[in-house]
Amino acid sequence: MLDRRWSGSLVPGMTTMEGERRSSQANAIWVGAAPRRSAGPVSSGRRQILEVAAELLERKGAQALSTRAVAAAAGIRAASLYQLFGDKDGLLSALAVHAFDVYLAQKHTLASSGDPVDDMRRGWDMHVDFGLEHPALYLLMYGTDRPGRRPPAAREAQELLMAFLGRAASDGRLRVPPVLAAHLTLAAVTGVTLTLIGIPESERDPEVSPRMREALIDALTTETSPVPDSTLAARALALDATLSGADPAAVPLRPVETALLQDWLQHLAR
């Protein structure tokens, strides 16, 4: 497995089709949800080329990932590769989508424990493990090369977290709104993973990830579900999360009234 230091994004942009496909996959929750597959499945030939490219990337690095090298490794003509992906940038964009597919497939192997805080721990550990096992692919997903630009997987990964954190808020286990919790979680887990990727394996401190994980969990969650004398903020967060996940037809309020109520609840939760 290649151990590379972070050098920024390898993906200059995603096509609209790829972005829509990844957005649909991001409806999976943090732990124990099946990623929703796209309506138009990737052809076996295209998938094989992406698997070959991923292997080449992780063995030799991005500098060795030329369209000619991938075509030769896949046993096809370079012209055929260009027809499928365009240039190298298109190949890297598709490869980032493929990496996210692999990531979600691993997430699906985790069944929910019923305890959102325990699920958060296991989801964190799997995320970090994935990055350390596939460092080059991880950089495609979460790297960025200039300020003000969101990493390719940032929006999808945030959506992936939101359903899980909404459930945790409904159970009264969050101290902060789910949106803020998602931002903090992604910042922490990607920061830890990218930092560890940039350190030689023999020099990594095994305490870094679990200590950061527990510090985050302590800051974001409560020990147990709320009891009758729980704080107003926790109750407001729970009701706001419940309303967000409810069928609008089942809420006896007009949409504008529901929006106003949720705005009040968010103020109470601060």
Side-chain angles (χ1 to χ4, degrees), residues 66-121:
S66 66
T67 52
R68 187 178 300 277
V70 173
I76 61 173
R77 295 181 299 110
S80 299
L81 193 73
Y82 279 107
Q83 288 178 346
L84 286 171
F85 303 104
D87 55 12
K88 180 179 177 179
D89 290 344
L91 174 63
L92 288 171
S93 295
L95 190 55
V97 176
H98 172 71
F100 205 61
D101 282 342
V102 175
Y103 173 78
L104 285 178
Q106 289 195 11
K107 282 286 186 184
H108 179 46
T109 65
L110 279 182
S112 176
S113 68
D115 180 347
V117 175
D118 181 58
D119 287 347
M120 188 174 184
R121 287 189 177 94

Side-chain angles (χ1 to χ4, degrees), residues 202-264:
S202 61
E203 299 176 19
R204 292 173 187 161
D205 186 340
E207 290 297 311
V208 168
S209 179
R211 283 180 178 270
M212 179 64 80
R213 180 196 66 205
E214 292 308 306
L216 179 77
I217 287 174
D218 287 346
L220 298 184
T221 67
T222 61
E223 288 294 329
T224 59
S225 296
V227 293
D229 61 348
S230 61
T231 65
L232 177 62
R235 288 173 174 268
L237 278 172
L239 180 54
D240 181 40
T242 301
L243 283 172
S244 296
D247 180 356
V251 178
L253 297 172
R254 291 177 296 177
V256 66
E257 293 171 334
T258 301
L260 181 59
L261 175 57
Q262 289 189 278
D263 184 60
W264 289 341

